[in-house]
Amino acid sequence: MNGRVMLRSVFGCLRTNPVSCQRNMSQSSLAGKIAIVTASTDGIGLAAAQALGKRGAHVVVSSRRQANVDKAVALLQSQSITVTGTTCNVGKEEDREKLVQLTLDQCGGIDILVSNAAVNPFFGNIMDSTEGVWDKILSVNVTSAFLMTKLVVPHMTKRGGGNVVFVSSVAGYQPMQALGPYSVSKTALLGLTRALAPELAQSNIRVNCVAPGVIKTKFSSALTGSEDIMDEFKKHMSIKRVGEPEEIGGVIAFLCSEDASYITGETITVTGGIGCRL
């Protein structure tokens, strides 16, 4: 189709069915949306911020360290993304409240929450894990995800709805050796997604989850840096390679878009074909 024919087709669509045409041309746009992404100065969190920002959202990024925040903000600004950054440890109530209040003060509302923050302070046999390990992992990976949701929901409701996306893991379906408590916390996010979705649907808020497989990030470097471990993983992959953070960011942006307007309570596994079921 040459340029003139394409233009006639577009303008013809606008004349005959302007609403339908507008929807088709803008359904992936997040222009005017405000998105908080936790732990978003590197890896999957940064990729999610990029994907949302490139679709027009104003993204609010955060990390525990100011230097990391500054670096991420500079990168996103260089990509013509509208961004605000702040330090935040989601395990601390005052930091969660500060993140939300800053977003309201700087941006005027909240439409999207991507809960990506997670910790894993323990490697080893699950029976060797301590109460302190469990408290830390569940507090940051699960409880804080819920409490961040609880903080933003009233503000999403004021704007007529919104989207919450939790970042889980393939380990939530198949616990990884030496990562028992972490794996359990990621399974809990699958349940949290299912529990919140019907209740928040009443406020036009969709709740979904993404479960990445082995993705090339600093967080997963202990796995991706071992040839033996990766050879074992690849036996279960249809796509025989490690995933890229951008391949998760795109799925997150999709779930926050109108393209996904009839999806809630679901977990999308992005694993290169690793089978996932509970």
Side-chain angles (χ1 to χ4, degrees):
M1 181 182 293
N2 64 38
R4 290 184 178 179
V5 172
M6 184 180 294
L7 284 172
R8 283 200 297 270
S9 175
V10 170
F11 288 124
C13 171
L14 287 169
R15 284 194 298 269
T16 58
N17 194 352
V19 174
S20 175
C21 194
Q22 183 179 19
R23 183 184 301 119
N24 289 335
M25 293 175 70
S26 64
Q27 61 186 356
S28 295
S29 173
L30 295 173
K33 302 297 184 183
I34 312 300
I36 294 176
V37 187
T38 65
S40 44
T41 60
D42 197 7
I44 290 172
L46 178 59
Q50 288 174 311
L52 294 167
K54 287 176 180 177
R55 288 160 176 79
H58 182 149
V59 294
V60 180
V61 298
S62 64
S63 170
R64 288 178 293 178
R65 295 179 178 84
Q66 185 66 51
N68 293 342
V69 173
D70 294 340
K71 183 179 178 181
V73 167
L75 173 64
L76 293 169
Q77 287 178 337
S78 74
Q79 298 171 345
S80 300
I81 290 171
T82 305
V83 57
T84 299
T86 184
T87 55
C88 179
N89 180 345
V90 296
K92 296 181 178 180
E93 179 181 8
E94 61 269 26
D95 278 20
R96 294 191 298 268
E97 292 176 349
K98 181 189 77 171
L99 175 59
V100 171
Q101 191 58 51
L102 174 77
T103 303
L104 295 173
D105 292 343
Q106 296 282 329
C107 309
I110 301 168
D111 302 289
I112 294 166
L113 169 66
V114 179
S115 180
N116 176 61
V119 296
N120 179 49
F122 176 80
F123 293 88
N125 294 328
I126 191 169
M127 291 301 291
D128 293 330
S129 59
T130 64
E131 183 177 356
V133 163
W134 283 90
D135 286 346
K136 173 91 171 176
I137 289 175
L138 293 177
S139 174
V140 173
N141 297 8
V142 184
T143 306
S144 293
F146 167 70
L147 293 175
M148 275 298 302
T149 303
K150 195 170 183 178
L151 280 175
V152 302
V153 159
H155 305 291
M156 290 182 177
T157 302
K158 288 178 184 177
R159 288 166 72 87
N163 283 280
V164 176
V165 179
F166 298 118
V167 179
S168 180
S169 167
V170 64
Y173 289 92
Q174 181 57 55
M176 295 183 184
Q177 188 176 2
L179 297 176
Y182 172 84
S183 299
V184 171
S185 75
K186 292 301 186 177
T187 305
L189 290 177
L190 310 182
L192 182 60
T193 301
R194 296 291 298 274
L196 285 171
E199 189 169 325
L200 295 187
Q202 300 170 40
S203 300
N204 196 32
I205 297 170
R206 296 188 293 107
V207 184
N208 290 293
C209 186
V210 174
V214 184
I215 307 300
K216 191 183 297 181
T217 66
K218 289 180 182 178
F219 195 83
S220 66
S221 59
L223 300 177
T224 57
S226 169
E227 189 173 333
D228 290 341
I229 291 176
M230 287 313 304
D231 284 345
E232 189 60 34
F233 267 111
K234 286 176 183 178
K235 291 178 184 178
H236 304 282
M237 294 175 177
S238 300
I239 301 173
K240 306 292 185 181
R241 64 172 175 82
V242 175
E244 298 291 339
E246 292 76 16
E247 293 176 301
I248 309 302
V251 174
I252 291 170
F254 160 72
L255 286 172
C256 296
S257 75
E258 284 302 305
D259 287 342
S261 59
Y262 202 49
I263 301 175
T264 195
E266 296 294 339
T267 297
I268 296 182
T269 58
V270 191
T271 66
I274 296 175
C276 294
R277 77 177 186 88
L278 291 177

